[in-house]
Amino acid sequence: MTALDLNQQVRDAHERNDYDGLIALIPYARLLGVECLRMGEDMVFRLPANKDLIGNPTLPAIHGGVIAGFMEQAGLLHLLMFMGIPHMPKIIDFSIDYLRAGHYRDTYAQCQVWRQGRRVANVAITAWQSRQSEPIATARAHFKVDKP
Amino acid sequence: MSETAIVEKATRFLSALRHCQVLGMQVHAGNAQGLTLCLPYSQQIVGNPETGVIHGGAITTLMDTTCGISTVCVLPEFEICPTLDLRIDYMHPAEPLKDVFGFAECYRVTENVIFTRGYAYQDDPQQPIAHVVGTFMRMGKNARAGAPVTRDIQGGGA
């Protein structure tokens, strides 16, 4: 058994309204370098450009799987932040449409919860680089949000 | 194309993808029927530090890569094929400390599009942790943006 109580960390983050510590606890989020930027009432997630995230070496472009992983992580954090869920949601399914190449530069993501039921939440995630109106990918995911 | 040629081509393809090298991904098997890649378990891809379960994003990267490279199983010459879309359904979480394998096959190839499907598993391919479908765009073997890497993957001569 590990001493780390993740659900307690989630509750602490809610209380402090500061999620950097929580992100730092998730190894995969650290590997990608996910950051969150509060914009008034909204939250925008940032994936800083990093050579280790490149998939297509010729363009060069960020790996499509990395963009998907970043968007999944954004959706998960968004649910935690805005829905006050006291534990880590679990992914049920994830579907992504790639609209433009994700070039080797910073990528942003924003989320919209379309429906949160007692057991399942439906989240839409949009990712962009130069302009929010020109997304590089859109995704939607279902998360299981009831008690583990 | 022989099994050895497919595995060699897939290995060259994979070695050109920096992020896949960071994750330590390797070609496990390949033939005309499909391709299997391995994503070794490591601490850096953990999504839940309490349980040690791998993050869905790492599984997505494994499956996007496996589906994308599985195109070498059916195409006579290497082509850059960007992902149009990808869908993953999780059957159950991955078990911690165990490697994950991704299998993918191209089940329909048209002039412009390649339809792929596959699954991720750990011990038993009959008990997948996730099912995947992905659609890829064919850019043609002479696509400009892909020219240098195409040469690398073809083995210099093409």
PDB file of all heavy atoms in Angstrom, chain A residues 22-51:
ATOM      1  N   LEU A  22      -1.348  18.852  -7.660  1.00  0.00           N
ATOM      2  CA  LEU A  22      -2.018  17.623  -8.093  1.00  0.00           C
ATOM      3  C   LEU A  22      -1.429  17.133  -9.418  1.00  0.00           C
ATOM      4  O   LEU A  22      -1.129  15.948  -9.585  1.00  0.00           O
ATOM      5  CB  LEU A  22      -3.521  17.878  -8.237  1.00  0.00           C
ATOM      6  CG  LEU A  22      -4.381  16.668  -8.551  1.00  0.00           C
ATOM      7  CD1 LEU A  22      -4.338  15.655  -7.418  1.00  0.00           C
ATOM      8  CD2 LEU A  22      -5.813  17.093  -8.824  1.00  0.00           C
ATOM      9  N   ILE A  23      -1.233  18.078 -10.361  1.00  0.00           N
ATOM     10  CA  ILE A  23      -0.653  17.714 -11.664  1.00  0.00           C
ATOM     11  C   ILE A  23       0.739  17.122 -11.453  1.00  0.00           C
ATOM     12  O   ILE A  23       1.111  16.138 -12.101  1.00  0.00           O
ATOM     13  CB  ILE A  23      -0.602  18.948 -12.599  1.00  0.00           C
ATOM     14  CG1 ILE A  23      -2.036  19.397 -12.942  1.00  0.00           C
ATOM     15  CG2 ILE A  23       0.165  18.638 -13.874  1.00  0.00           C
ATOM     16  CD1 ILE A  23      -2.117  20.655 -13.776  1.00  0.00           C
ATOM     17  N   ALA A  24       1.492  17.711 -10.517  1.00  0.00           N
ATOM     18  CA  ALA A  24       2.862  17.249 -10.263  1.00  0.00           C
ATOM     19  C   ALA A  24       2.880  15.819  -9.723  1.00  0.00           C
ATOM     20  O   ALA A  24       3.895  15.129  -9.811  1.00  0.00           O
ATOM     21  CB  ALA A  24       3.554  18.198  -9.291  1.00  0.00           C
ATOM     22  N   LEU A  25       1.745  15.377  -9.171  1.00  0.00           N
ATOM     23  CA  LEU A  25       1.678  14.013  -8.619  1.00  0.00           C
ATOM     24  C   LEU A  25       1.436  12.966  -9.708  1.00  0.00           C
ATOM     25  O   LEU A  25       1.615  11.781  -9.475  1.00  0.00           O
ATOM     26  CB  LEU A  25       0.526  13.915  -7.611  1.00  0.00           C
ATOM     27  CG  LEU A  25       0.752  14.519  -6.237  1.00  0.00           C
ATOM     28  CD1 LEU A  25      -0.518  14.400  -5.420  1.00  0.00           C
ATOM     29  CD2 LEU A  25       1.907  13.822  -5.540  1.00  0.00           C
ATOM     30  N   ILE A  26       0.965  13.412 -10.889  1.00  0.00           N
ATOM     31  CA  ILE A  26       0.625  12.462 -11.959  1.00  0.00           C
ATOM     32  C   ILE A  26       1.823  12.335 -12.906  1.00  0.00           C
ATOM     33  O   ILE A  26       2.118  13.256 -13.664  1.00  0.00           O
ATOM     34  CB  ILE A  26      -0.630  12.938 -12.727  1.00  0.00           C
ATOM     35  CG1 ILE A  26      -1.796  13.112 -11.737  1.00  0.00           C
ATOM     36  CG2 ILE A  26      -0.988  11.977 -13.850  1.00  0.00           C
ATOM     37  CD1 ILE A  26      -3.009  13.800 -12.317  1.00  0.00           C
ATOM     38  N   PRO A  27       2.520  11.186 -12.863  1.00  0.00           N
ATOM     39  CA  PRO A  27       3.754  11.057 -13.639  1.00  0.00           C
ATOM     40  C   PRO A  27       3.562  11.342 -15.133  1.00  0.00           C
ATOM     41  O   PRO A  27       4.379  12.039 -15.738  1.00  0.00           O
ATOM     42  CB  PRO A  27       4.171   9.599 -13.406  1.00  0.00           C
ATOM     43  CG  PRO A  27       3.582   9.248 -12.071  1.00  0.00           C
ATOM     44  CD  PRO A  27       2.292   9.997 -12.003  1.00  0.00           C
ATOM     45  N   TYR A  28       2.470  10.845 -15.732  1.00  0.00           N
ATOM     46  CA  TYR A  28       2.280  11.039 -17.178  1.00  0.00           C
ATOM     47  C   TYR A  28       2.065  12.523 -17.511  1.00  0.00           C
ATOM     48  O   TYR A  28       2.554  13.010 -18.534  1.00  0.00           O
ATOM     49  CB  TYR A  28       1.106  10.202 -17.688  1.00  0.00           C
ATOM     50  CG  TYR A  28       0.932  10.268 -19.184  1.00  0.00           C
ATOM     51  CD1 TYR A  28       1.804   9.595 -20.045  1.00  0.00           C
ATOM     52  CD2 TYR A  28      -0.094  11.022 -19.760  1.00  0.00           C
ATOM     53  CE1 TYR A  28       1.652   9.668 -21.420  1.00  0.00           C
ATOM     54  CE2 TYR A  28      -0.260  11.092 -21.136  1.00  0.00           C
ATOM     55  CZ  TYR A  28       0.625  10.413 -21.958  1.00  0.00           C
ATOM     56  OH  TYR A  28       0.463  10.491 -23.327  1.00  0.00           O
ATOM     57  N   ALA A  29       1.341  13.251 -16.640  1.00  0.00           N
ATOM     58  CA  ALA A  29       1.139  14.692 -16.852  1.00  0.00           C
ATOM     59  C   ALA A  29       2.479  15.423 -16.765  1.00  0.00           C
ATOM     60  O   ALA A  29       2.725  16.390 -17.488  1.00  0.00           O
ATOM     61  CB  ALA A  29       0.154  15.246 -15.826  1.00  0.00           C
ATOM     62  N   ARG A  30       3.362  14.944 -15.881  1.00  0.00           N
ATOM     63  CA  ARG A  30       4.709  15.520 -15.753  1.00  0.00           C
ATOM     64  C   ARG A  30       5.544  15.225 -16.985  1.00  0.00           C
ATOM     65  O   ARG A  30       6.269  16.083 -17.477  1.00  0.00           O
ATOM     66  CB  ARG A  30       5.407  14.943 -14.518  1.00  0.00           C
ATOM     67  CG  ARG A  30       5.212  15.714 -13.248  1.00  0.00           C
ATOM     68  CD  ARG A  30       6.353  15.489 -12.251  1.00  0.00           C
ATOM     69  NE  ARG A  30       6.811  14.121 -12.156  1.00  0.00           N
ATOM     70  CZ  ARG A  30       6.319  13.219 -11.283  1.00  0.00           C
ATOM     71  NH1 ARG A  30       5.369  13.559 -10.454  1.00  0.00           N
ATOM     72  NH2 ARG A  30       6.796  11.992 -11.268  1.00  0.00           N
ATOM     73  N   LEU A  31       5.433  13.982 -17.487  1.00  0.00           N
ATOM     74  CA  LEU A  31       6.190  13.588 -18.683  1.00  0.00           C
ATOM     75  C   LEU A  31       5.834  14.504 -19.854  1.00  0.00           C
ATOM     76  O   LEU A  31       6.712  14.962 -20.585  1.00  0.00           O
ATOM     77  CB  LEU A  31       5.880  12.122 -19.039  1.00  0.00           C
ATOM     78  CG  LEU A  31       6.467  11.597 -20.347  1.00  0.00           C
ATOM     79  CD1 LEU A  31       7.971  11.382 -20.221  1.00  0.00           C
ATOM     80  CD2 LEU A  31       5.798  10.299 -20.779  1.00  0.00           C
ATOM     81  N   LEU A  32       4.540  14.784 -20.022  1.00  0.00           N
ATOM     82  CA  LEU A  32       4.113  15.660 -21.119  1.00  0.00           C
ATOM     83  C   LEU A  32       4.412  17.114 -20.805  1.00  0.00           C
ATOM     84  O   LEU A  32       4.650  17.909 -21.699  1.00  0.00           O
ATOM     85  CB  LEU A  32       2.607  15.495 -21.384  1.00  0.00           C
ATOM     86  CG  LEU A  32       2.097  14.134 -21.844  1.00  0.00           C
ATOM     87  CD1 LEU A  32       0.636  14.254 -22.288  1.00  0.00           C
ATOM     88  CD2 LEU A  32       2.924  13.549 -22.980  1.00  0.00           C
ATOM     89  N   GLY A  33       4.367  17.492 -19.518  1.00  0.00           N
ATOM     90  CA  GLY A  33       4.585  18.885 -19.121  1.00  0.00           C
ATOM     91  C   GLY A  33       3.314  19.707 -19.092  1.00  0.00           C
ATOM     92  O   GLY A  33       3.343  20.924 -19.331  1.00  0.00           O
ATOM     93  N   VAL A  34       2.174  19.061 -18.800  1.00  0.00           N
ATOM     94  CA  VAL A  34       0.870  19.736 -18.803  1.00  0.00           C
ATOM     95  C   VAL A  34       0.834  20.863 -17.764  1.00  0.00           C
ATOM     96  O   VAL A  34       1.271  20.688 -16.628  1.00  0.00           O
ATOM     97  CB  VAL A  34      -0.260  18.723 -18.497  1.00  0.00           C
ATOM     98  CG1 VAL A  34      -1.608  19.423 -18.399  1.00  0.00           C
ATOM     99  CG2 VAL A  34      -0.296  17.622 -19.549  1.00  0.00           C
ATOM    100  N   GLU A  35       0.334  22.024 -18.187  1.00  0.00           N
ATOM    101  CA  GLU A  35       0.173  23.163 -17.277  1.00  0.00           C
ATOM    102  C   GLU A  35      -1.277  23.633 -17.340  1.00  0.00           C
ATOM    103  O   GLU A  35      -1.943  23.432 -18.351  1.00  0.00           O
ATOM    104  CB  GLU A  35       1.061  24.337 -17.713  1.00  0.00           C
ATOM    105  CG  GLU A  35       2.541  24.028 -17.665  1.00  0.00           C
ATOM    106  CD  GLU A  35       3.368  25.143 -18.312  1.00  0.00           C
ATOM    107  OE1 GLU A  35       2.775  26.108 -18.842  1.00  0.00           O
ATOM    108  OE2 GLU A  35       4.600  25.018 -18.279  1.00  0.00           O
ATOM    109  N   CYS A  36      -1.762  24.267 -16.259  1.00  0.00           N
ATOM    110  CA  CYS A  36      -3.092  24.870 -16.383  1.00  0.00           C
ATOM    111  C   CYS A  36      -3.021  26.364 -16.109  1.00  0.00           C
ATOM    112  O   CYS A  36      -2.289  26.830 -15.241  1.00  0.00           O
ATOM    113  CB  CYS A  36      -4.129  24.160 -15.533  1.00  0.00           C
ATOM    114  SG  CYS A  36      -3.770  24.075 -13.804  1.00  0.00           S
ATOM    115  N   LEU A  37      -3.754  27.112 -16.930  1.00  0.00           N
ATOM    116  CA  LEU A  37      -3.762  28.576 -16.858  1.00  0.00           C
ATOM    117  C   LEU A  37      -5.179  29.009 -16.573  1.00  0.00           C
ATOM    118  O   LEU A  37      -6.095  28.656 -17.318  1.00  0.00           O
ATOM    119  CB  LEU A  37      -3.339  29.179 -18.210  1.00  0.00           C
ATOM    120  CG  LEU A  37      -2.158  28.545 -18.943  1.00  0.00           C
ATOM    121  CD1 LEU A  37      -2.139  28.997 -20.380  1.00  0.00           C
ATOM    122  CD2 LEU A  37      -0.865  28.939 -18.242  1.00  0.00           C
ATOM    123  N   ARG A  38      -5.355  29.737 -15.491  1.00  0.00           N
ATOM    124  CA  ARG A  38      -6.703  30.211 -15.177  1.00  0.00           C
ATOM    125  C   ARG A  38      -6.962  31.503 -15.939  1.00  0.00           C
ATOM    126  O   ARG A  38      -6.175  32.438 -15.887  1.00  0.00           O
ATOM    127  CB  ARG A  38      -6.832  30.432 -13.662  1.00  0.00           C
ATOM    128  CG  ARG A  38      -8.251  30.671 -13.222  1.00  0.00           C
ATOM    129  CD  ARG A  38      -8.328  30.705 -11.717  1.00  0.00           C
ATOM    130  NE  ARG A  38      -8.475  29.375 -11.128  1.00  0.00           N
ATOM    131  CZ  ARG A  38      -9.610  28.690 -11.111  1.00  0.00           C
ATOM    132  NH1 ARG A  38     -10.679  29.171 -11.684  1.00  0.00           N
ATOM    133  NH2 ARG A  38      -9.669  27.522 -10.528  1.00  0.00           N
ATOM    134  N   MET A  39      -8.056  31.543 -16.719  1.00  0.00           N
ATOM    135  CA  MET A  39      -8.424  32.739 -17.477  1.00  0.00           C
ATOM    136  C   MET A  39      -9.772  33.194 -16.952  1.00  0.00           C
ATOM    137  O   MET A  39     -10.802  32.779 -17.486  1.00  0.00           O
ATOM    138  CB  MET A  39      -8.555  32.423 -18.972  1.00  0.00           C
ATOM    139  CG  MET A  39      -7.428  31.574 -19.543  1.00  0.00           C
ATOM    140  SD  MET A  39      -5.970  32.539 -19.883  1.00  0.00           S
ATOM    141  CE  MET A  39      -5.933  32.458 -21.649  1.00  0.00           C
ATOM    142  N   GLY A  40      -9.772  34.013 -15.917  1.00  0.00           N
ATOM    143  CA  GLY A  40     -11.045  34.412 -15.307  1.00  0.00           C
ATOM    144  C   GLY A  40     -11.739  33.193 -14.744  1.00  0.00           C
ATOM    145  O   GLY A  40     -11.175  32.466 -13.945  1.00  0.00           O
ATOM    146  N   GLU A  41     -12.963  32.960 -15.223  1.00  0.00           N
ATOM    147  CA  GLU A  41     -13.741  31.809 -14.754  1.00  0.00           C
ATOM    148  C   GLU A  41     -13.341  30.537 -15.480  1.00  0.00           C
ATOM    149  O   GLU A  41     -13.738  29.451 -15.085  1.00  0.00           O
ATOM    150  CB  GLU A  41     -15.242  32.071 -14.997  1.00  0.00           C
ATOM    151  CG  GLU A  41     -15.823  33.185 -14.149  1.00  0.00           C
ATOM    152  CD  GLU A  41     -15.984  32.774 -12.691  1.00  0.00           C
ATOM    153  OE1 GLU A  41     -16.827  31.904 -12.409  1.00  0.00           O
ATOM    154  OE2 GLU A  41     -15.248  33.325 -11.836  1.00  0.00           O
ATOM    155  N   ASP A  42     -12.592  30.698 -16.587  1.00  0.00           N
ATOM    156  CA  ASP A  42     -12.273  29.562 -17.439  1.00  0.00           C
ATOM    157  C   ASP A  42     -10.909  28.972 -17.111  1.00  0.00           C
ATOM    158  O   ASP A  42     -10.073  29.625 -16.504  1.00  0.00           O
ATOM    159  CB  ASP A  42     -12.267  30.007 -18.907  1.00  0.00           C
ATOM    160  CG  ASP A  42     -13.607  29.775 -19.561  1.00  0.00           C
ATOM    161  OD1 ASP A  42     -14.404  28.997 -19.003  1.00  0.00           O
ATOM    162  OD2 ASP A  42     -13.844  30.377 -20.627  1.00  0.00           O
ATOM    163  N   MET A  43     -10.702  27.758 -17.565  1.00  0.00           N
ATOM    164  CA  MET A  43      -9.404  27.120 -17.407  1.00  0.00           C
ATOM    165  C   MET A  43      -8.909  26.697 -18.783  1.00  0.00           C
ATOM    166  O   MET A  43      -9.645  26.075 -19.545  1.00  0.00           O
ATOM    167  CB  MET A  43      -9.565  25.892 -16.500  1.00  0.00           C
ATOM    168  CG  MET A  43      -8.270  25.328 -16.021  1.00  0.00           C
ATOM    169  SD  MET A  43      -7.303  26.466 -15.014  1.00  0.00           S
ATOM    170  CE  MET A  43      -8.049  26.243 -13.418  1.00  0.00           C
ATOM    171  N   VAL A  44      -7.692  27.099 -19.111  1.00  0.00           N
ATOM    172  CA  VAL A  44      -7.062  26.667 -20.356  1.00  0.00           C
ATOM    173  C   VAL A  44      -5.848  25.831 -19.980  1.00  0.00           C
ATOM    174  O   VAL A  44      -5.106  26.193 -19.061  1.00  0.00           O
ATOM    175  CB  VAL A  44      -6.647  27.881 -21.228  1.00  0.00           C
ATOM    176  CG1 VAL A  44      -5.831  27.429 -22.421  1.00  0.00           C
ATOM    177  CG2 VAL A  44      -7.877  28.649 -21.693  1.00  0.00           C
ATOM    178  N   PHE A  45      -5.679  24.715 -20.651  1.00  0.00           N
ATOM    179  CA  PHE A  45      -4.539  23.845 -20.387  1.00  0.00           C
ATOM    180  C   PHE A  45      -3.490  24.070 -21.455  1.00  0.00           C
ATOM    181  O   PHE A  45      -3.822  24.300 -22.623  1.00  0.00           O
ATOM    182  CB  PHE A  45      -4.987  22.386 -20.360  1.00  0.00           C
ATOM    183  CG  PHE A  45      -6.010  22.135 -19.286  1.00  0.00           C
ATOM    184  CD1 PHE A  45      -7.362  22.283 -19.554  1.00  0.00           C
ATOM    185  CD2 PHE A  45      -5.607  21.806 -18.004  1.00  0.00           C
ATOM    186  CE1 PHE A  45      -8.318  22.094 -18.561  1.00  0.00           C
ATOM    187  CE2 PHE A  45      -6.547  21.629 -17.008  1.00  0.00           C
ATOM    188  CZ  PHE A  45      -7.902  21.755 -17.283  1.00  0.00           C
ATOM    189  N   ARG A  46      -2.225  24.007 -21.044  1.00  0.00           N
ATOM    190  CA  ARG A  46      -1.141  24.232 -22.009  1.00  0.00           C
ATOM    191  C   ARG A  46      -0.193  23.041 -22.028  1.00  0.00           C
ATOM    192  O   ARG A  46       0.160  22.495 -20.985  1.00  0.00           O
ATOM    193  CB  ARG A  46      -0.354  25.494 -21.679  1.00  0.00           C
ATOM    194  CG  ARG A  46       0.837  25.653 -22.657  1.00  0.00           C
ATOM    195  CD  ARG A  46       1.432  27.018 -22.643  1.00  0.00           C
ATOM    196  NE  ARG A  46       2.061  27.311 -21.363  1.00  0.00           N
ATOM    197  CZ  ARG A  46       2.686  28.448 -21.100  1.00  0.00           C
ATOM    198  NH1 ARG A  46       2.745  29.390 -22.012  1.00  0.00           N
ATOM    199  NH2 ARG A  46       3.214  28.652 -19.926  1.00  0.00           N
ATOM    200  N   LEU A  47       0.221  22.687 -23.253  1.00  0.00           N
ATOM    201  CA  LEU A  47       1.252  21.672 -23.453  1.00  0.00           C
ATOM    202  C   LEU A  47       2.431  22.377 -24.119  1.00  0.00           C
ATOM    203  O   LEU A  47       2.396  22.636 -25.324  1.00  0.00           O
ATOM    204  CB  LEU A  47       0.715  20.559 -24.364  1.00  0.00           C
ATOM    205  CG  LEU A  47       1.670  19.414 -24.670  1.00  0.00           C
ATOM    206  CD1 LEU A  47       1.909  18.554 -23.440  1.00  0.00           C
ATOM    207  CD2 LEU A  47       1.130  18.554 -25.804  1.00  0.00           C
ATOM    208  N   PRO A  48       3.465  22.755 -23.348  1.00  0.00           N
ATOM    209  CA  PRO A  48       4.587  23.485 -23.948  1.00  0.00           C
ATOM    210  C   PRO A  48       5.328  22.616 -24.972  1.00  0.00           C
ATOM    211  O   PRO A  48       5.426  21.403 -24.800  1.00  0.00           O
ATOM    212  CB  PRO A  48       5.498  23.786 -22.754  1.00  0.00           C
ATOM    213  CG  PRO A  48       4.654  23.592 -21.536  1.00  0.00           C
ATOM    214  CD  PRO A  48       3.645  22.548 -21.900  1.00  0.00           C
ATOM    215  N   ALA A  49       5.807  23.257 -26.044  1.00  0.00           N
ATOM    216  CA  ALA A  49       6.568  22.548 -27.074  1.00  0.00           C
ATOM    217  C   ALA A  49       7.764  21.851 -26.438  1.00  0.00           C
ATOM    218  O   ALA A  49       8.436  22.424 -25.581  1.00  0.00           O
ATOM    219  CB  ALA A  49       7.037  23.531 -28.148  1.00  0.00           C
ATOM    220  N   ASN A  50       8.002  20.600 -26.829  1.00  0.00           N
ATOM    221  CA  ASN A  50       9.080  19.812 -26.237  1.00  0.00           C
ATOM    222  C   ASN A  50       9.492  18.770 -27.275  1.00  0.00           C
ATOM    223  O   ASN A  50       8.637  18.059 -27.811  1.00  0.00           O
ATOM    224  CB  ASN A  50       8.532  19.162 -24.953  1.00  0.00           C
ATOM    225  CG  ASN A  50       9.493  18.180 -24.322  1.00  0.00           C
ATOM    226  OD1 ASN A  50      10.525  17.818 -24.893  1.00  0.00           O
ATOM    227  ND2 ASN A  50       9.143  17.735 -23.127  1.00  0.00           N
ATOM    228  N   LYS A  51      10.784  18.701 -27.556  1.00  0.00           N
ATOM    229  CA  LYS A  51      11.293  17.779 -28.600  1.00  0.00           C
ATOM    230  C   LYS A  51      10.894  16.333 -28.337  1.00  0.00           C
ATOM    231  O   LYS A  51      10.673  15.553 -29.268  1.00  0.00           O
ATOM    232  CB  LYS A  51      12.815  17.881 -28.677  1.00  0.00           C
ATOM    233  CG  LYS A  51      13.311  19.091 -29.420  1.00  0.00           C
ATOM    234  CD  LYS A  51      14.768  18.902 -29.846  1.00  0.00           C
ATOM    235  CE  LYS A  51      15.209  19.935 -30.873  1.00  0.00           C
ATOM    236  NZ  LYS A  51      14.886  21.327 -30.484  1.00  0.00           N
TER     237      LYS A  51
END
